Structure formats: structure tokens, C-alpha cells
Amino acid sequence: MQWGSIAPHFDGSGRSGDVDPEEGSIPPESLAAILEHCPTDHDVTYAVWVGFGSWADRGDRHALLPGWGGRDYLLFEAPKAPIMTWPGMDPIWPQSANLIWPKDHSWCVATEIDWDSTLIAGPYPVTQAILDDERLETFEVDYGDDLSWYGDHFNPLPDWLRARR
């Protein structure tokens, strides 16, 4: 099920930080819990979308990872931690990285810019530990699963969403 279909107050026009899950950022306590299960002995790479409107100075100090559809990311290397502030960014609220991975590419944490979900890929022991962690709301997803607002096949689409079709 999707948030837009089960939240009676939600009309698709914006989110309330007091009630609705964030889009494009994972809360630091959730990210910390996930990262506890992601092994590495080295710094990790963090990719933060350049399209967030709070960059005071993007400069040329950081590598740029070109992405599909204008989703370019600035890259940062740092110890594995739930980092919420970035050099050159002056955010209105804490902002997690959108992608996190270790040097050996053995796992990846991906928080999509426009979604309220974070996807984790990795070896079975890592993903199973995350699925079993009671601090997190987790579900196993398959390649073909639809995580968009239209992907809720259990609840009827709300009127505001049906009107967009």
C-alpha cells in the first residue's frame, strides 16, 4: 500500500512534516539503524542530489555523478554515519544522502528524491538483518514492484490521485 492511498488528510499537494513521511530524505535514526547492518572498514561514498534548492555553493570541490533525467549528484567520502549536513549546502531541514555505498560496492542504500521509500541492496545477511530490525518498517520488494502512488493494489485510489490519471 502507498501513503497517498491510506492517509485521509493527504491530497498530493504537499506533505506535513508532523504527520507524513519525508520525501527524498531518510530520518537520521532510521538511517543509523540501517547502517548498523552495512559492513565496511573504510569510508563510504555519499551522493546528494544537486537539485535540492539549498546549495549555497556547489563549487568544483566535489566529484559529480551524472544521473538520468537531470538527477546529478555531488559525491562525498566520509566515515559511515547518518550524515544530514553537506559542505556547501544550507538546508532548511536535515537532508540525508540519496545514495550511500562502500568502496567494495557490496551494498547500497538509495533514498529516491521524490519518494518516501528507501531501498537497500546487498548480500542476504545484510538485507535479512535490516528486514528483521524492529526499529524499522521494512518490506522485501521485487524488481517489478511499483513503488509509485499508483502501485497500491490493496486500497482504492483517492479522488485526488484518480483525477491525475
Side-chain angles (χ1 to χ4, degrees):
M1 69 183 110
Q2 307 297 24
W3 184 252
S5 294
I6 64 170
H9 69 280
F10 188 69
D11 65 3
S13 64
R15 294 190 182 236
S16 163
D18 296 332
V19 179
D20 300 321
E22 296 180 46
E23 288 181 318
S25 187
I26 182 172
E29 59 278 357
S30 297
L31 182 55
I34 290 167
L35 291 175
E36 282 180 24
H37 303 292
C38 297
T40 187
D41 293 328
H42 304 285
D43 286 353
V44 296
T45 300
Y46 297 88
V48 183
W49 181 45
V50 300
F52 289 121
S54 54
W55 290 101
D57 173 25
R58 286 190 274 186
D60 294 325
R61 297 183 312 262
H62 305 286
L64 182 69
L65 174 67
W68 175 79
R71 298 288 171 95
D72 297 339
Y73 301 88
L74 291 177
L75 301 179
F76 303 88
E77 285 195 7
K80 182 182 73 169
I83 299 172
M84 295 288 153
T85 59
W86 306 99
M89 185 183 235
D90 187 18
I92 299 168
W93 51 79
Q95 177 60 54
S96 72
N98 299 102
L99 300 165
I100 306 169
W101 68 89
K103 290 186 185 306
D104 68 2
H105 297 212
S106 60
W107 51 265
C108 181
V109 177
T111 301
E112 162 56 29
I113 296 154
D114 291 326
W115 290 355
D116 55 17
S117 299
T118 294
L119 301 174
I120 298 122
Y124 179 80
V126 170
T127 57
Q128 191 59 50
I130 292 167
L131 286 166
D132 292 342
D133 192 322
E134 293 183 4
R135 297 171 294 175
L136 301 167
E137 180 183 20
T138 59
F139 302 92
E140 191 169 337
V141 295
D142 292 321
Y143 175 78
D145 289 346
D146 183 354
L147 300 179
S148 75
W149 285 340
Y150 297 104
D152 189 335
H153 300 289
F154 299 103
N155 299 291
L157 289 178
D159 292 339
W160 66 267
L161 190 53
R162 194 173 18 264
R164 289 184 177 187
R165 274 205 154 153

